[in-house]
Amino acid sequence: MNTLPAKYLLMTAIALVAMGCRKAHYEPDPADVPSGKALVTVVYDPGALGDRSYNDLIYAGVERTALANGLRTMQFSPSTSAEGLAILQTYFEQMSMLRDTVRRLLIVAGSEYDDYLRRHSDELGACPRADLLYLETKDPLPGKGSTICLPYYSAMYEAGAVATAFSDNLLLIAANPLASAIRESVEGFTEGFNAKYVLTGDDHELQVEWISDEEGGGFRIDDEDAMRIVYDSETLPIAQLVFPVCGGASGTFYRMSGLFGGFDYIGIDVVSISNHCPFSVVKHIDRAIDLCIGQWLSSEGMPKHQTLSFADGWTEVVLHPYTDLQKAIIERYLPEDLLQTIHADAMKKEAGNE
């Protein structure tokens, strides 16, 4: 496996194009013969890898599935949108030139490339051994390629309902309102929070803070800006519980909780084991990757579009109390029958938001 910066893409492209254009009578040195193993290539949004969350789950899922199935992988983490688009453009150009028999799957794990994919996916129609998987969208591609979606609304609704047991003052920090998945998450969480399943005797307040108002913004943040959002001063946090729904930027707020204290946080996308994190909202995108690659390798292939539901466990809320106080809160305010009621209502929300 290689995680390649964009500057190595040109060398890769030249080598692949050269292999595709060799004349039939050319006999390469045995040491130079390319592998015939199927190749999975992943392109991420700029700076997405290393978030210890959603994108790292994709990375791990690809590598785990590739190892189990004897596949080769290349994973590209561009530093800018322009670099990411250059990678995609070169890849599509390669596919029109290659004449080998290697099966190739391109996985695009970045919403910043949506427009490009929708304008160019039909170009892969002439490449029978090349396939495309685009994460995550509710709208199928117009040309060749498969799409999947793991809606977060219901899991977020359940998380909002559960959160009121742990704090009467919560700050939800969201990346930007133009990202549909982020906006849907905020709406689901807000509805669950305001449903008031948990009666603690306190008035509950939810504040929503958007990091950015620009498309693609808010998924990275520096420490100074993060401090400004969370603290009125260096010692007084604005809220007792913080929920960062902002991709890689979430890790900054996790770190602040441990370093400066004063607030707990809700984990996002993966289970975050910490004495400052009583529960997490989890999206099993790594399992979805395993499913899709398995479908791709099968004789049936991947469906044109598939939605992986909350009811089937693709997203969920995981309580993982670390401290005695967190355990006591769950025992007192979140009995099993109430959790079952919240979960059942959340599943109904999924049906209404499809």
Side-chain angles (χ1 to χ4, degrees):
M1 189 287 310
N2 294 306
T3 304
L4 300 177
K7 65 182 180 181
Y8 292 114
L9 178 64
L10 182 58
M11 291 183 287
T12 304
I14 292 172
L16 289 172
V17 171
M19 288 187 283
C21 295
R22 282 177 179 147
K23 297 188 181 297
H25 67 269
Y26 177 72
E27 295 292 335
D29 184 277
D32 295 331
V33 175
S35 171
K37 293 181 179 180
L39 174 64
V40 178
T41 301
V42 189
V43 180
Y44 295 89
D45 269 339
L49 273 184
D51 62 359
R52 300 182 181 180
S53 184
Y54 180 83
N55 292 284
D56 285 7
L57 281 176
I58 295 172
Y59 178 98
V62 168
E63 294 305 314
R64 183 175 62 245
T65 306
L67 182 63
N69 291 280
L71 310 176
R72 293 178 296 148
T73 67
M74 289 197 299
Q75 304 214 37
F76 292 97
S77 183
S79 58
T80 65
S81 296
E83 287 186 4
L85 283 173
I87 292 171
L88 289 178
Q89 290 166 354
T90 304
Y91 186 94
F92 275 68
E93 291 170 2
Q94 290 172 9
M95 293 304 100
S96 66
M97 300 181 200
L98 291 175
R99 298 295 181 268
D100 60 29
T101 60
V102 176
R103 293 190 64 189
R104 292 174 170 83
L105 173 62
L106 171 65
I107 300 176
V108 179
S111 59
E112 290 198 25
Y113 314 119
D114 184 89
D115 181 63
Y116 180 86
L117 292 178
R118 296 191 182 281
R119 286 188 291 109
H120 295 277
S121 61
D122 59 346
E123 296 174 13
L124 290 180
C127 310
R129 294 188 175 274
D131 291 286
L132 169 65
L133 174 62
Y134 178 29
L135 319 174
E136 287 184 57
T137 176
K138 294 181 179 179
D139 302 317
L141 291 169
K144 185 176 182 179
S146 298
T147 51
I148 68 165
C149 180
L150 284 69
Y152 234 166
Y153 193 96
S154 290
M156 287 292 176
Y157 178 92
E158 185 169 314
V162 166
T164 56
F166 294 95
S167 174
D168 58 0
N169 186 12
L170 191 145
L171 173 64
L172 194 160
I173 303 169
N176 74 80
L178 301 178
S180 59
I182 298 294
R183 190 173 62 252
E184 180 182 90
S185 296
V186 173
E187 291 170 354
F189 188 92
T190 301
E191 185 178 2
F193 187 91
N194 290 333
K196 296 182 170 54
Y197 289 92
V198 180
L199 301 176
T200 63
D202 298 316
D203 291 329
H204 297 96
E205 180 182 359
L206 172 63
Q207 305 173 68
V208 178
E209 180 77 23
W210 299 96
I211 297 176
S212 172
D213 59 2
E214 297 180 357
E215 186 172 1
F219 294 100
R220 286 178 284 184
I221 191 170
D222 60 36
D223 289 358
E224 183 177 350
D225 287 338
M227 290 286 289
R228 191 178 304 114
I229 290 173
V230 174
Y231 291 96
D232 281 329
S233 67
E234 291 184 1
T235 58
L236 183 62
I238 293 171
Q240 301 161 326
L241 187 63
V242 170
F243 187 22
V245 186
C246 46
S250 300
T252 301
F253 298 100
Y254 299 169
R255 179 166 47 84
M256 286 170 52
S257 176
L259 288 175
F260 304 107
F263 68 92
D264 289 341
Y265 63 87
I266 302 170
I268 179 86
D269 291 332
V270 295
V271 174
S272 179
I273 301 299
S274 164
N275 61 341
H276 295 290
C277 181
F279 72 97
S280 299
V281 192
V282 179
K283 177 175 283 194
H284 297 292
I285 190 65
D286 53 337
R287 298 181 192 172
I289 289 293
D290 182 72
L291 171 71
C292 291
I293 293 179
Q295 293 169 335
W296 175 63
L297 293 172
S298 72
S299 57
E300 293 81 10
M302 293 182 293
K304 181 65 176 175
H305 179 78
Q306 54 191 324
T307 297
L308 306 180
S309 71
F310 170 77
D312 290 331
W314 291 99
T315 61
E316 63 176 326
V317 173
V318 180
L319 297 172
H320 44 83
Y322 191 88
T323 67
D324 290 339
L325 176 59
Q326 292 168 357
K327 294 174 184 177
I329 288 173
I330 292 174
E331 182 178 349
R332 180 176 180 181
Y333 295 115
L334 294 171
E336 187 60 31
D337 59 340
L338 178 58
L339 288 174
Q340 290 176 358
T341 297
I342 293 171
H343 187 73
D345 289 348
M347 284 198 289
K348 294 175 185 175
K349 298 294 180 182
E350 180 171 66
N353 283 277
E354 290 180 350

